[in-house]
Amino acid sequence: MRRGLVFIRMGKKRKKLCNVFIFVIILLGIIACEKQESVPRNVEQGCAIEQQANTIKELPRSLGITIVNIDLSTVHDTNPLEKEQRALLIEYGYSLDQIAKMDAGDFMEAERVQMIPKENLESIKNSYCELKELDISSWTWGDFEEYCKKKDRENAFSAEEQDLLAKRNITIDDARYLLKEYHSIDNLLIQDDSILKEYLEVFYKNKISYAKAMSKRDYSWMPK
């Protein structure tokens, strides 16, 4: 199950809703596929890890932290497929041979390019009133995912709060994470920089550990 979005599966119907806090985002870039039935590029080459070798990106850091702040959405999830994921890949037109070579990250990439079924469009519009007058019939699940991320960031803080965070040199994404500990922007902002910095340094280090575990590659360039 993908983190950051809630999947509600009822038979062949599914609804996705945004989570305000994307704590551990494991959302990957779209693999370009001209045809749905074609073999995904990373499967075709036999190893998704190799495809991700040079794609891990860094996010802006807060409070002058020197530790690498990995963008987890660019880390390929090498966990094995779950039963439901295998079933969905079959629905998407993948063969059993192709599925045997895929992992959770491959599933996410394959799913992102799938068109949103008509039966899900109404529920999405009901959840996001601003979409009711828009034609989203051509949206993929990846399009909806990006929309959710954008709205979450826009709605996280007011313009005044964003200005206060900028003056403290705290990024919006890090502030959203810190709210899980401090629960309100007022409580967050009264904390000393040293306390917030120590908390975020642990967060950054945990993301590095996760990236290493998922990639199973040599990340010796990262601080330990």
Side-chain angles (χ1 to χ4, degrees), residues 7-96:
F7 285 67
I8 301 176
R9 179 81 173 164
M10 296 176 292
K12 291 189 177 181
K13 293 184 179 180
R14 176 186 54 192
K15 178 181 179 183
K16 290 188 177 183
L17 298 177
C18 284
N19 187 342
V20 174
F21 299 107
I22 305 180
F23 174 30
V24 182
I25 308 172
I26 310 180
L27 305 174
L28 303 173
I30 301 173
I31 283 188
C33 296
E34 293 183 356
K35 296 182 179 180
Q36 177 176 316
E37 66 270 17
S38 63
V39 181
R41 182 161 53 94
N42 56 343
V43 174
E44 196 172 58
Q45 295 183 350
C47 185
I49 297 174
E50 295 300 327
Q51 285 290 315
Q52 293 294 322
N54 299 313
T55 61
I56 294 180
K57 298 179 180 179
E58 182 184 0
L59 295 171
R61 310 173 198 177
S62 299
L63 300 168
I65 295 174
T66 59
I67 300 171
V68 173
N69 183 19
I70 288 179
D71 180 355
L72 286 181
S73 70
T74 63
V75 177
H76 191 96
D77 186 349
T78 57
N79 282 309
L81 292 170
E82 297 178 359
K83 183 178 179 180
E84 184 187 42
Q85 292 173 329
R86 292 177 181 275
L88 284 170
L89 286 169
I90 292 174
E91 290 183 19
Y92 297 157
Y94 288 80
S95 70
L96 293 179

Side-chain angles (χ1 to χ4, degrees), residues 153-159 161-162 165 172 175-176 179 185:
R153 294 192 89 260
E154 289 177 351
N155 298 331
F157 303 103
S158 67
E161 290 168 343
Q162 291 183 41
L165 290 168
I172 298 299
R176 292 169 64 199
L179 281 180
I185 185 66

